[in-house]
Amino acid sequence: MARWLEVTVTSQQRTSFGTGGERAYLTHTHPFLPGSVLRGALAAACLRSDGSGGEAFRRVFEFGRFGPAMPAWVALESQSVSKCKYHDSAAGHAEYVDLAFDLGQTPYSLDCCAARDQLKGAYTRRGLVAVVATAQEPRKNTAATGQLFARETIERGTTFVGHTVLPDDTVADAGFETLKGIDQAFFGGRSSVLGRCTVTWKELNDPPHWPDAAPQAEEIVVVRTLSPTILVDEAGLPSIDFAGAVRAAVGVAPEATWAGRVESGLAGGWHSASGMPKPAEIAVAPGAVAALRGVPRERLLELITRGLGLRRNEGYGWVEIVSKPWQPPAEQPTRPTSLITAQAVRHGGTQWVDKIRQLSLDDAQTQWFANQLRRVRASQETAVQQAMLEPVARGLTPIQRDGDATRKGVKDLLLQVPNGLRASVATRITKGAAR
């Protein structure tokens, strides 16, 4: 049986997940963390911490599946939803009706004289912030003509929650433990100034939204794709036959499907390991819905675990069970609240600044210590041991290095200062707060 994990990614910097090879003034971002980005960032973090890239690594990242991770304020439209195009609140009928839960049997009043449209499977895009920059003219320090650029970003402090399915076998166990040990990674573009995030893991007994009891023979089960689904026919040519793909996966023809939108030029990019471009694909857009009846529980579990289509280990073809009709999300603030407020950073950082002050480091030692706080993460013993071999560290006194009964030394502080406070502490001690 596959092993399910819930992964929570909390941004410590603004993040940006590019949507394609745009060559325009504004670079757009996905409003969520795509599975392909999650997989790539975690693989890079594994290689940095372990460096082996052996069989266990291959089992996790080639045979495991990494789904999209969503902020709380992002919602995906279900393509099974019918919307009143010019709705009048006094018309006496619902603006949104999810046909997957009544299979189109509801008669619609047209009192507001409006037609109805199907939703297209788009993601809500609230909470995005545009960061604007410009190139400068050499020697003039003035903005260069025609070189103004902007990038959409997601605010610092946003929490992305997603799921990962790993193969349950002996070879993958070592990779599984390495994956669970990752507590920080860089996600998305411009990682020199964007994308630093903390990572936490939780093991699950069942897939998310999994029903407690097996569905009855006549009970409808609704499933929906969370990411684009790349399909091919028997000849290997691109296909958009969503109903046929679901039927092949569960062995039962769907009662109805809603998958009217197609995306092209999808899933391209660059494959760093081979040094080759990835092929662009045609795919069924996310939010595709199927209403199923009489599906055996084990076939439903296989569908949720394996997904649909090609390139599933990159986050495509991710399928979830939907338990209630779709409704538009409630309004949310456009700026997510950081889990670490500025006040908490100041208060929490002060105690660590005081501990550093007790060591009486000189200016060079203080600057070195601040650089290590920014470079090394908490509990990374190997990195701390390497840092203590640098020339500045060799000039520390035994008490400065290892501490004594009344104070912590530099080595312990590098291991123990919390990740969320390290940048703040480093900035304060280099500005003289520790002296």
Side-chain angles (χ1 to χ4, degrees):
M1 181 178 177
R3 178 178 285 160
W4 282 85
L5 297 173
E6 179 181 275
V7 56
T8 301
V9 177
T10 304
S11 60
Q12 306 301 304
Q13 296 174 316
R14 286 177 172 173
T15 52
S16 182
F17 315 116
T19 59
E22 297 164 301
R23 297 292 183 270
Y25 155 74
L26 177 62
T27 300
H28 293 283
T29 179
H30 292 285
F32 61 95
L33 175 54
S36 56
V37 177
L38 178 66
R39 173 177 176 257
L42 294 176
C46 275
L47 291 175
R48 284 196 298 269
S49 63
D50 183 83
S52 63
E55 181 63 18
F57 175 89
R58 189 183 71 86
R59 287 289 294 170
V60 168
F61 289 101
E62 292 297 328
F63 294 91
R65 297 183 58 233
F66 297 81
M70 304 289 183
W73 44 269
V74 166
L76 170 64
E77 295 177 349
S78 293
Q79 296 189 46
S80 59
V81 174
S82 172
K83 176 188 177 183
C84 183
K85 193 169 184 179
Y86 307 109
H87 185 63
D88 182 348
S89 58
H93 63 271
E95 181 178 5
Y96 296 93
V97 177
D98 195 336
L99 303 179
F101 286 85
D102 62 18
L103 296 184
Q105 300 303 313
T106 302
Y108 301 124
S109 168
L110 296 180
D111 294 343
C112 60
C113 300
R116 300 190 72 91
D117 287 340
Q118 295 295 123
L119 297 187
K120 304 299 191 295
Y123 290 94
T124 56
R125 300 185 60 82
R126 296 189 303 265
L128 303 183
V129 178
V131 177
V132 182
T134 183
Q136 288 187 330
E137 292 283 4
R139 298 184 297 277
K140 294 183 179 180
N141 290 329
T142 58
T145 303
Q147 296 192 48
L148 186 66
F149 309 97
R151 174 182 289 272
E152 283 184 336
T153 63
I154 302 173
E155 273 291 6
R156 170 183 180 266
T158 300
T159 297
F160 306 86
V161 179
H163 297 91
T164 297
V165 186
L166 299 181
D168 188 9
D169 56 50
T170 304
V171 178
D173 285 345
F176 171 65
E177 293 302 324
T178 301
L179 190 65
K180 288 202 307 180
I182 297 174
D183 62 357
Q184 176 171 288
F186 287 83
F187 296 85
R190 301 294 301 276
S191 58
S192 61
V193 292
L194 301 172
R196 188 179 77 245
C197 301
T198 58
V199 183
T200 58
W201 301 89
K202 177 183 177 182
E203 291 195 58
L204 303 178
N205 294 325
D206 295 306
H209 314 301
W210 187 247
D212 295 330
Q216 301 299 316
E218 295 302 314
E219 183 180 353
I220 291 290
V221 176
V222 177
V223 297
R224 177 180 70 165
T225 60
L226 280 178
S227 56
T229 304
I230 303 170
L231 302 176
V232 294
D233 60 18
E234 294 180 354
L237 298 175
S239 171
I240 56 173
D241 184 9
F242 180 70
V246 173
R247 181 176 63 251
V250 300
V252 177
E255 293 285 310
T257 57
W258 295 265
R261 192 165 71 88
V262 176
E263 295 185 354
S264 60
L266 184 80
W270 190 261
H271 190 263
S272 298
S274 64
M276 298 289 288
K278 293 181 179 180
E281 309 279 5
I282 296 174
V284 176
V289 175
L292 305 171
R293 192 193 307 270
V295 177
R297 186 179 178 86
E298 60 274 10
R299 297 300 296 269
L300 184 62
L301 177 61
E302 183 178 1
L303 170 64
I304 302 303
T305 302
R306 291 176 53 83
L308 287 173
L310 305 181
R311 299 176 70 169
R312 289 171 292 175
N313 62 336
E314 298 178 49
Y316 299 103
W318 194 270
V319 181
E320 67 170 0
I321 295 176
V322 181
S323 58
K324 58 184 179 181
W326 186 91
Q327 288 295 321
E331 289 296 323
Q332 296 283 342
T334 58
R335 293 176 64 88
T337 302
S338 173
L339 296 182
I340 305 175
T341 64
Q343 182 178 3
V345 169
R346 288 193 298 270
H347 176 73
T350 298
Q351 61 175 317
W352 296 103
V353 169
D354 292 341
K355 294 178 187 297
I356 298 168
R357 181 186 296 119
Q358 295 175 10
L359 297 176
S360 301
L361 302 177
D362 62 28
D363 290 343
Q365 292 168 339
T366 299
Q367 184 62 56
W368 171 84
F369 185 78
N371 292 339
Q372 299 306 317
L373 280 177
R374 296 188 177 101
R375 185 181 69 85
V376 179
R377 311 311 298 164
S379 302
Q380 291 185 339
E381 295 188 7
T382 302
V384 171
Q385 291 173 359
Q386 293 175 349
M388 301 308 296
L389 298 177
E390 296 182 6
V392 174
R394 290 200 292 267
L396 297 171
T397 67
I399 291 179
Q400 288 175 327
R401 178 187 177 89
D402 299 315
D404 56 21
T406 62
R407 75 196 85 178
K408 292 182 180 295
V410 163
K411 186 175 180 180
D412 287 337
L413 289 171
L414 284 176
L415 289 170
Q416 296 175 15
V417 176
N419 289 333
L421 301 176
R422 293 172 88 89
S424 173
V425 170
T427 299
R428 292 175 65 182
I429 64 176
T430 53
K431 288 183 177 179
R435 304 200 55 78

